[in-house]
């Protein structure tokens, strides 16, 4: 028995539905992987399932393209973005969770997250243009902060809400200042939450195309922009595109797997429960 | 001691303000300032090609945008896209969440697999499906043709629908995540009470589960809809707005106006209209979804 | 009607047996209380009867009809949960009518029945409110009302009063008993509060570690505890226990001296001898038969209004607690030695459980 329904028919239908969903999700990955190990001469042939696997595409991308540089850019940008987000977001999230007078702030944070990039990109672009920071990592980090900071802060509020208030009261009775209580006692308690929020922010930054497309050039190009460059479907390029896609996707899937439980808890704790 | 009206030095400031100070500075710099800049921009004739010749033009940009056929078309496309994608995702996500909750074995594994698409960079998803659905080299049309179905997924009739399908593939997992979280947070005893009360599966679902999930549904709906309004990557990866302008979305329109035609003032005006539209939409949803007051 | 029969009921979660062979017959219209320390399996027993848990083995029948495999809805029972389990999105009226709606009764009839019960419980003015706009006591009433509306064969209550404050608890206790008298339906009531059990029950079932220790009326349970566990669990302050051994001539060898008893236990057997604190008296000058006089020192006096609890210690180190009327308190003085008397017929003798 896979699904706990009393009725046999519903059990069968439920199981089937889940199988179909799994196949629909996995098939594209599977096909892309097959494409990545097809010899380039067979690229883009939907009728070919059996062939001698070849790592030529992988070799090309790893040793003979800009993709490693793009990966480095993406990684560096995402990392710095997350560090800044956590440094600014954690104390504020703690304040929003603990002190009165910040009820509205929670929703402002959510509203900030909802701000369409269209309205921010124009001024950011002009500003960075004037400062001659187009095609610099600093510029992209600035842009990515606009959507990573609010998300990270929002999740952290939920995690701080779950820590009993007695904990810092105890620390203060033990002779710590409020601020010491925060970073010596509370921060270590929410470390898993910090990690989860940080990883989520990292994934968001890693995945962004819109800002990176407009703010990067040859030097600072990120992986999604590079992938977008495989736009033309010349048969020979298909395998390489598949490799680049897999390289962008695999680390993110591993990271996100590690935080799923926290995400579910984080959402459950952010005031959407009964 | 009386509290000073004006905080004159940092030491006197309440700790709660000290804690939020870094965030306030950061967000003012990267969001508030650009936002105000955008408002100003929307009132100027500001072209990237004539950057030293900027003129104040009042609401002229808004007038132009509001009557621009391309803008209205993009708005229409975006609205159909958002409405159909979000409704599909809501129904699918809720059904899958309920099914996964009933899983006895492999629960964690199934959940992880089904959540995967939402973590992937959308440009990769766009390109993947552009490749899978391509009428010459795509595997899906290839096998559909074998069973006698011939579809041009990115032709004038189907292109927008295909983009909806891609969005559903990537973002149903988000709904699933929200509903799994929501279901997990529901108290267990009302369901036991309902069993003792003799309620069947459908009555329990419609009278107890669904009403209790309402706050989560509303939040998920709003977040997803606002996110769908920003759809850009699929269009950029696959159709570039075409065929014709049948898949031009509002973000793609703004991108084109600002960065292909370099008309920053008009692009700013369009994005402000978008914000106003979104605001109205959110207020509407929140009001409509309030439970009716019983007299 | 509403006779319940448990036969060899077992329930295990994983490898631990929570209910370990439970046999119990519950009579029609009876008010039966399941009493025991927390974690002993009371809720599990109730949930098995409700059909919310599946049994591992054994059978449950209601009115002679085997319901072991039936869904809750087919058992004709109603349950009041500890945290009330009201449906948060429904009004009081909808909450109370939900069970009838599930039976596809017509809305008009539902309204009629709900109004009738609301009237009975004084809930009429609250019918349009949502649960979170009610006080704890009112929520409790709604939960009870929801059970009554359905006119089930058996009512199940799982510690329904434990979330209420002391005054409200007494009030609801009286109300539940009154309802039981009026409706006459079989009621099974779980609690860990012995006072509540004593006050409400026709019969009490004492459970411990998934087993029934004793079934009986409150009087039987109090005055004739069958096991050491029951004796120790019931009564406040709890019974004094003295370790001893049966020596020759059916005499008990105790640290406080030897005592003559009638017992069927064998020579050399180790026992626990119990005596309730209120049975320990000051020794009179005139010695009666069957009285055992012990010299002890008063070590502590705790005043409790009309009564006082006096702790005394024998030279062997054995501590004895007694309950003394306020009028007699002057006869006890801290640090002095007194003579107390233990009547042989107040002693309870339990064979030592070997472990
Ligand atoms: N679903 C469950 N899974 C595992 N153990 C359980 C479950 N429900 C109850 N138990 C265990 O069964 C024992 C009896 O529980 P319960 O019947 O609730 O006790 P009571 O109501 O008498 O306090 C407890 O030790 C509890 O931990
Ligand atoms: Mg219990």
């Amino acid at each position: 028995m896979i699904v706990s329904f009393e009725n046999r028919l519903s059990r069968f239908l439920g199981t089937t539905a889940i199988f179909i969903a799994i196949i629909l999700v996995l098939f594209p990955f599977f096909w892309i992987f097959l494409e990545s190990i097809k010899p380039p001469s067979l690229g883009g042939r939907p009728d070919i399932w059996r062939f001698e696997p070849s790592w030529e595409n992988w070799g090309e991308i790893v040793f003979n393209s800009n993709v490693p540089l793009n990966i480095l850019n993406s990684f560096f940008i995402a990392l710095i973005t997350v560090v800044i987000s956590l440094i600014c977001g954690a104390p504020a999230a703690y304040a929003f969770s603990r002190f009165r007078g910040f009820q509205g702030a929670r929703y402002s944070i959510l509203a900030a997250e909802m701000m369409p990039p269209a309205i921010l990109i124009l001024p950011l672009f002009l500003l960075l243009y004037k400062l001659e920071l187009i095609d610099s990592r600093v510029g992209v980090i600035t842009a990515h902060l606009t959507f990573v900071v609010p998300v990270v802060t929002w999740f952290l509020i939920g995690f701080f809400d779950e820590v009993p208030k007695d904990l810092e009261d105890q620390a203060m009775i033990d002779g710590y200042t409020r601020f010491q209580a925060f970073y010596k006692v509370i921060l270590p308690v929410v470390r898993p939450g910090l990690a989860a929020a940080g990883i989520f922010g990292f994934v968001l930054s890693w995945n962004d195309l819109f800002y990176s497309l407009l703010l990067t050039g040859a030097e600072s190009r990120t992986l999604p922009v590079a992938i977008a460059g495989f736009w033309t479907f010349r048969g020979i390029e298909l395998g390489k595109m598949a490799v680049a896609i897999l390289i962008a996707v695999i680390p993110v899937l591993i990271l996100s797997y590690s935080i799923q439980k926290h995400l579910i808890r984080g959402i459950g704790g952010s005031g959407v429960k009964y | 001691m009386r509290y000073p009206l004006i905080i004159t030095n940092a030491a006197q400031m309440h700790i709660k303000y000290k804690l939020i100070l870094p965030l306030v500075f950061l967000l003012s710099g990267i969001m508030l300032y650009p936002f105000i800049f955008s408002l100003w921009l929307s009132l100027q004739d500001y072209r990237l090609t004539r950057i030293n010749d900027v003129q104040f033009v009042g609401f002229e940009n808004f007038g132009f945008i509001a009557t621009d056929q391309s803008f209205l078309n993009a708005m229409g496309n975006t609205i159909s896209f958002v409405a159909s994608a979000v409704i599909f995702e809501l129904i699918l996500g809720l059904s899958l969440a309920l099914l996964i909750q009933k899983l006895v074995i492999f629960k964690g594994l199934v959940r992880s697999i089904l959540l995967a698409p939402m973590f992937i960079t959308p440009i990769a998803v766009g390109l993947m499906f552009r490749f899978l659905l391509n009428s010459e080299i795509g595997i899906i049309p290839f096998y559909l043709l074998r069973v006698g179905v011939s579809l041009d997924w990115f032709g004038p009739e189907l292109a927008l629908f295909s983009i909806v399908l891609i969005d559903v593939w990537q973002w149903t997992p988000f709904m699933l995540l929200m509903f799994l979280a929501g279901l997990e947070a529901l108290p267990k005893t009302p369901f036991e009470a309902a069993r003792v009360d003799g309620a069947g599966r459908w009555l329990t679902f419609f009278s107890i589960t669904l009403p209790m999930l309402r706050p989560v549904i509303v939040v998920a709906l709003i977040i997803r809809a606002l996110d769908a309004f920003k759809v850009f990557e699929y269009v950029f990866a696959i159709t570039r707005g075409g065929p014709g302008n049948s898949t031009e979305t509002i973000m793609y329109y703004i991108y084109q106006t600002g960065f292909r035609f370099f008309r920053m003032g008009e692009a700013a005006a369009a994005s402000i209209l978008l914000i106003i539209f979104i605001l109205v939409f959110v207020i509407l949803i929140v009001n409509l979804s309030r439970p009716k007051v019983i007299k | 009607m509403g006779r319940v029969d448990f036969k060899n009921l077992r329930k295990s979660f994983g490898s631990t047996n929570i209910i370990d062979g439970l046999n119990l017959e519950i009579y029609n219209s009876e008010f039966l209380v399941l009493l025991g320390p927390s974690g002993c399996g009371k809720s599990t027993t109730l949930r098995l009867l409700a059909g919310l848990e599946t049994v591992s083995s054994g059978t449950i029948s209601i009115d002679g009809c085997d319901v072991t495999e039936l869904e809750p809805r087919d058992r004709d029972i109603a349950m009041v949960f500890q945290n009330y389990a009201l449906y948060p999105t429904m009004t009081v009226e909808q909450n109370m009518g939900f069970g009838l709606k599930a039976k596809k009764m017509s809305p008009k009839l539902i309204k009629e029945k709900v109004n009738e019960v609301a009237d009975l419980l004084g809930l009429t003015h609250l019918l349009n409110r949502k649960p979170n706009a009610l006080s704890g006591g009112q929520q409790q009433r709604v939960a009870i009302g929801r059970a009554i509306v359905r006119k089930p064969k058996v009512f199940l209550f799982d510690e329904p009063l434990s979330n209420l404050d002391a005054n409200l608890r007494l009030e609801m206790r009286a109300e539940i008993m009154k309802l039981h008298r009026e409706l006459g339906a079989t009621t099974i009531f779980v609690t860990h509060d012995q006072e509540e059990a004593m006050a409400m029950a026709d019969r009490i079932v004492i459970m411990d570690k998934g087993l029934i220790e004793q079934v009986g009326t409150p009087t039987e349970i109090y005055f004739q505890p069958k096991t050491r566990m029951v004796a120790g669990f019931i009564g406040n302050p709890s019974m004094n226990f003295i370790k001893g051994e049966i020596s020759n001539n059916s005499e008990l060898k105790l640290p406080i001296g030897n005592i003559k008893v009638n017992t069927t236990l064998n020579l050399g057997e180790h026992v626990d001898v119990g005596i309730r604190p209120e049975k320990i008296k000051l020794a009179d000058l005139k010695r009666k038969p069957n009285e055992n006089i012990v010299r002890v020192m008063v070590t502590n006096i705790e005043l409790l209004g009309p009564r006082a609890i006096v702790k005394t210690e024998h030279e062997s180190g054995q501590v004895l607690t007694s309950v003394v009327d306020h009028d007699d308190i002057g006869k006890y003085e801290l640090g002095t030695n007194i003579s107390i008397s233990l009547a042989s017929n107040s002693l309870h003798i339990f064979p030592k459980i070997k472990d």
Side-chain angles (χ1 to χ4, degrees):
Chain A
M1 186 172 69
I2 296 183
V3 197
S4 69
F5 282 124
E6 313 84 60
N7 175 320
R8 282 178 112 196
L9 181 69
S10 348
R11 210 181 300 163
F12 172 75
L13 289 178
T15 314
T16 315
I18 284 186
F19 268 116
I20 291 176
I22 288 177
I23 289 169
L24 287 178
V25 165
L26 289 185
F27 180 75
F29 295 111
F30 167 73
W31 189 246
I32 283 289
F33 177 70
L34 271 195
E35 194 65 34
S36 83
I37 56 169
K38 269 186 193 168
S41 56
L42 295 178
R45 293 276 303 276
D47 51 333
I48 292 182
W49 288 80
R50 283 213 252 148
F51 51 84
E52 199 63 32
S54 135
W55 297 96
E56 201 182 322
N57 293 319
W58 286 83
E60 275 292 299
I61 286 288
V62 173
F63 299 114
N64 209 359
S65 78
N66 280 332
V67 168
L69 174 68
N70 304 141
I71 295 174
L72 220 61
N73 279 333
S74 278
F75 182 82
F76 179 78
I77 288 167
L79 190 68
I80 301 294
T81 305
V82 163
V83 169
I84 296 176
S85 302
L86 286 176
I87 289 174
C88 296
Y94 173 74
F96 294 156
S97 159
R98 282 304 194 273
F99 294 103
R100 277 184 301 152
F102 286 140
Q103 284 79 358
R106 291 176 181 232
Y107 296 97
S108 317
I109 291 291
L110 200 59
E113 169 60 19
M114 291 303 142
M115 185 86 90
I119 200 149
L120 298 177
I121 184 64
L122 305 166
L124 281 175
F125 181 84
L126 292 175
L127 200 68
L128 294 170
Y129 183 77
K130 291 223 166 102
L131 296 173
E132 298 188 354
L133 284 172
I134 299 288
D135 191 13
S136 76
R137 297 188 186 124
V138 179
V140 186
I141 290 170
T142 310
H144 284 191
L145 283 172
T146 62
F147 59 89
V148 175
V149 168
V151 167
V152 165
T153 311
W154 171 257
F155 270 111
L156 288 180
I157 294 174
F159 289 121
F160 281 121
D161 280 347
E162 280 183 14
V163 181
K165 216 174 140 14
D166 299 350
L167 215 56
E168 69 244 41
D169 290 348
Q170 180 62 48
M172 285 192 287
I173 287 166
D174 286 346
Y176 291 100
T177 66
R178 177 109 215 178
F179 190 69
Q180 286 172 325
F182 163 64
Y183 80 92
K184 287 202 171 134
V185 178
I186 305 299
L187 267 193
V189 173
V190 295
R191 201 157 40 198
L194 288 174
I199 288 175
F200 193 62
F202 185 94
V203 169
L204 286 183
S205 165
W206 176 274
N207 283 348
D208 168 69
L209 172 75
F210 189 73
Y211 289 112
S212 313
L213 182 70
L214 295 166
L215 301 178
T216 63
E219 275 307 298
S220 59
R221 183 163 292 144
T222 61
L223 195 50
V225 183
I227 292 176
F230 290 94
W231 192 64
T232 50
F233 278 0
R234 275 177 286 126
I236 204 112
E237 297 275 294
L238 269 178
K240 287 200 235 162
M241 176 188 87
V243 174
I245 287 179
L246 286 174
I247 288 177
V249 158
I250 290 170
V252 162
L253 288 184
I254 294 169
L255 282 179
S256 66
Y257 177 77
S258 68
I259 56 166
Q260 276 179 17
K261 278 227 171 76
H262 287 287
L263 283 185
I264 291 183
R265 257 191 38 226
I267 293 169
S270 326
V272 289
K273 61 174 155 196
Y274 236 92
Chain B
M1 194 193 85
R2 277 184 55 207
Y3 221 75
L5 276 180
I6 301 164
I7 295 161
T8 44
N9 73 53
Q12 280 173 305
M13 200 159 72
H14 191 287
I15 181 159
K16 67 180 179 181
Y17 298 114
K18 282 188 201 161
L19 287 167
I20 65 167
L21 213 56
L23 185 77
V24 170
F25 271 127
L26 184 69
L27 288 186
S28 325
I30 62 171
M31 298 195 83
L32 192 62
Y33 168 70
F35 182 70
I36 292 168
F37 193 163
S38 243
L39 291 181
W40 174 82
L41 203 55
S42 68
L43 303 175
Q44 315 292 323
D45 182 17
Y46 194 120
R47 302 190 183 205
L48 223 43
T49 43
R50 288 191 278 128
I51 207 151
N52 295 319
D53 178 23
V54 177
Q55 281 170 8
F56 179 79
V57 291
F59 288 94
E60 215 170 85
N61 288 330
F62 288 93
F64 172 78
I65 290 292
T67 52
D68 182 11
Q69 275 310 314
S70 301
F71 176 79
L72 296 176
N73 167 63
M75 207 64 193
N77 284 344
T78 308
I79 291 170
S80 341
F81 169 82
V82 171
S84 33
V86 169
I87 288 171
F88 266 127
E89 287 157 15
L90 180 74
I91 294 170
L92 271 178
L94 187 54
S95 318
L96 283 173
L98 291 167
L99 276 177
I100 288 185
Q101 230 206 354
K102 289 257 178 196
L103 274 182
V104 183
I105 47 173
F106 301 134
K107 196 169 176 171
L109 182 68
V110 170
R111 188 185 61 199
S112 306
I113 292 175
L114 293 188
L115 288 182
M118 68 176 280
F119 297 107
I120 303 173
T121 176
I123 184 73
V125 175
L127 282 180
M128 244 156 64
F129 277 94
R130 176 154 179 248
F131 169 51
L132 287 169
L133 294 173
N134 185 288
S135 49
E136 280 142 37
I137 58 173
I139 181 163
I140 293 170
F142 178 78
Y143 281 101
L144 281 180
L145 204 60
R146 289 240 174 134
V147 296
V149 182
S150 163
L151 288 177
D152 183 5
W153 291 91
F154 300 119
E157 286 89 36
L158 275 186
L160 192 61
F161 176 73
S162 298
I163 290 185
V164 168
L165 282 190
I166 295 169
D167 197 79
V168 168
W169 185 85
Q170 176 153 38
W171 294 112
T172 298
F174 172 79
M175 291 286 190
L176 178 61
L177 179 72
M178 292 294 284
F179 294 139
L180 283 176
L183 287 171
E184 206 133 291
L186 291 186
K188 303 277 171 298
T189 41
F191 293 95
E192 294 188 334
R195 279 183 73 190
V196 175
D197 264 347
R201 211 183 313 145
W202 292 109
L203 186 61
T204 308
F205 177 73
F206 284 107
S207 321
I208 297 170
T209 318
L210 212 50
M212 286 209 285
L213 274 183
R214 206 196 47 238
V216 188
I217 294 178
V218 173
V219 170
L221 205 72
I222 290 177
I223 294 182
R224 191 70 271 288
L226 295 198
D227 208 40
F229 269 111
K230 303 181 200 165
V231 62
F232 173 77
E233 288 89 344
Y234 311 139
V235 179
F236 184 79
I238 303 173
T239 62
R240 304 265 160 139
N245 54 10
S246 64
T247 57
E248 190 173 57
T249 61
I250 193 72
M251 277 290 284
Y252 197 74
Y253 173 87
I254 293 170
Y255 163 77
Q256 292 251 35
T257 312
F259 295 96
R260 301 287 292 277
F261 310 137
F262 303 124
R263 291 139 78 120
M264 295 303 225
E266 283 153 24
S271 54
I272 284 164
L273 285 182
L274 174 65
I275 283 211
I276 292 171
F277 184 84
I278 285 178
L279 221 59
V280 171
F281 166 81
V282 170
I283 291 170
L284 224 75
I285 290 273
V286 169
N287 277 327
L288 282 182
S289 64
R290 275 231 178 92
K292 285 169 223 90
V293 181
I294 298 151
K295 273 148 253 144
Chain C
M1 290 299 282
R3 228 184 58 243
V4 179
D5 235 328
F6 292 114
K7 284 221 174 67
N8 282 321
L9 198 63
R10 278 173 210 282
K11 172 69 184 174
S12 45
F13 290 111
S15 58
T16 40
N17 294 332
I18 303 300
I19 304 296
D20 209 2
L22 187 121
N23 284 293
L24 179 63
E25 196 179 324
I26 299 159
Y27 310 130
N28 192 20
S29 293
E30 175 173 39
F31 197 110
L32 184 96
V33 173
L34 288 183
L35 176 64
S38 102
C40 71
K42 308 176 299 283
S43 298
T44 306
T45 308
L46 210 61
R47 293 165 60 82
L48 286 169
L49 174 53
L52 292 170
E53 307 276 1
T54 51
V55 306
S56 300
S57 71
T59 58
I60 303 170
S61 40
I62 298 177
D63 284 340
C65 167
D66 186 345
V67 299
T68 318
E69 302 293 327
L70 294 187
E71 274 292 294
R73 78 184 92 156
D74 301 322
R75 297 188 180 201
D76 207 1
I77 37 119
M79 183 156 171
V80 177
F81 293 81
Q82 180 169 2
N83 58 5
Y84 320 136
L86 299 179
Y87 308 121
T89 54
M90 298 183 201
T91 62
V92 168
E93 183 172 359
Q94 289 166 329
N95 258 287
M96 288 172 67
F98 191 69
L100 301 178
K101 190 172 160 193
K103 284 188 191 159
K104 307 232 158 56
M105 196 177 274
S106 80
K108 199 169 137 263
L109 207 55
I110 294 179
K111 199 168 175 76
E112 220 167 83
K113 299 205 168 202
V114 168
N115 283 340
E116 194 179 305
V117 173
D119 210 31
L120 185 69
L121 289 168
L123 290 170
T124 311
H125 63 294
L126 302 174
L127 280 178
N128 289 324
R129 294 222 199 142
K130 292 264 179 81
N132 59 13
L134 300 179
S135 71
Q138 290 168 330
Q139 292 187 20
Q140 177 68 80
R141 265 167 217 273
V142 176
I144 293 173
R146 184 170 69 179
I148 292 176
V149 166
R150 294 180 37 215
K151 297 217 167 22
K153 279 185 186 155
V154 185
F155 282 108
L156 309 179
F157 290 88
D158 191 356
E159 309 209 14
L161 307 183
S162 58
N163 289 352
L164 301 178
D165 62 46
N167 280 335
L168 207 52
R169 190 146 52 193
L170 287 181
E171 195 182 301
M172 285 311 293
R173 190 200 275 182
E175 183 135 343
I176 291 175
M177 287 162 71
K178 180 169 144 262
L179 284 170
H180 177 250
R181 276 195 302 274
E182 282 168 15
L183 303 171
T186 311
T187 303
I188 304 177
F189 188 103
V190 164
T191 178
H192 64 262
D193 178 347
Q194 47 169 301
E195 207 181 297
E196 205 166 278
M198 291 285 176
M200 299 178 87
D202 291 331
R203 282 195 307 158
I204 295 177
V205 175
I206 307 257
M207 289 183 67
D208 191 32
K209 303 193 182 95
L211 287 169
I212 291 182
E213 290 279 327
Q214 186 170 356
V215 183
T217 62
T219 322
E220 283 166 0
I221 296 276
Y222 190 82
F223 291 104
Q224 296 146 36
K226 285 214 180 105
T227 67
R228 157 85 215 254
M229 182 267 156
V230 175
F233 185 69
I234 297 287
N236 187 16
S238 57
M239 195 180 265
N240 295 296
F241 288 104
I242 310 165
K243 288 190 177 63
E245 193 182 331
I246 308 284
S247 61
N248 53 345
N249 312 335
S250 48
E251 234 187 8
L252 263 173
K253 202 164 122 228
L254 298 177
I256 56 171
N258 290 0
I259 288 178
K260 260 209 150 30
V261 285
N262 286 326
T263 171
T264 54
L265 293 172
N266 298 328
L267 193 67
E269 189 148 358
H270 290 267
V271 293
D272 275 328
V273 176
I275 180 160
R276 292 224 180 265
E278 58 272 27
K279 295 288 183 189
I280 298 182
K281 306 279 191 224
L282 263 187
D284 278 340
L285 292 175
K286 276 190 291 156
R287 175 153 181 182
K288 289 174 217 137
N290 279 333
E291 248 187 344
N292 309 286
I293 306 295
V294 182
R295 286 295 282 179
V296 290
M297 189 171 80
V298 179
T299 56
N300 190 28
I301 300 175
E302 233 178 89
L303 289 173
L304 296 177
R307 303 182 311 163
I309 295 174
V310 177
K311 288 232 154 65
T312 60
E313 197 176 321
H314 184 254
E315 59 185 8
S316 67
Q318 175 73 45
V319 173
L320 292 170
T321 305
S322 53
V323 172
V324 179
D325 273 347
H326 188 259
D327 294 343
D328 296 337
I329 202 74
K331 296 176 189 158
Y332 297 80
E333 205 175 314
L334 214 55
T336 60
N337 284 321
I338 53 170
S339 295
I340 55 172
S341 113
L342 316 174
S344 288
N345 56 8
S346 315
L347 297 181
H348 302 269
I349 300 171
F350 305 103
K352 190 98 181 154
I353 307 153
K354 290 171 195 79
D355 37 26

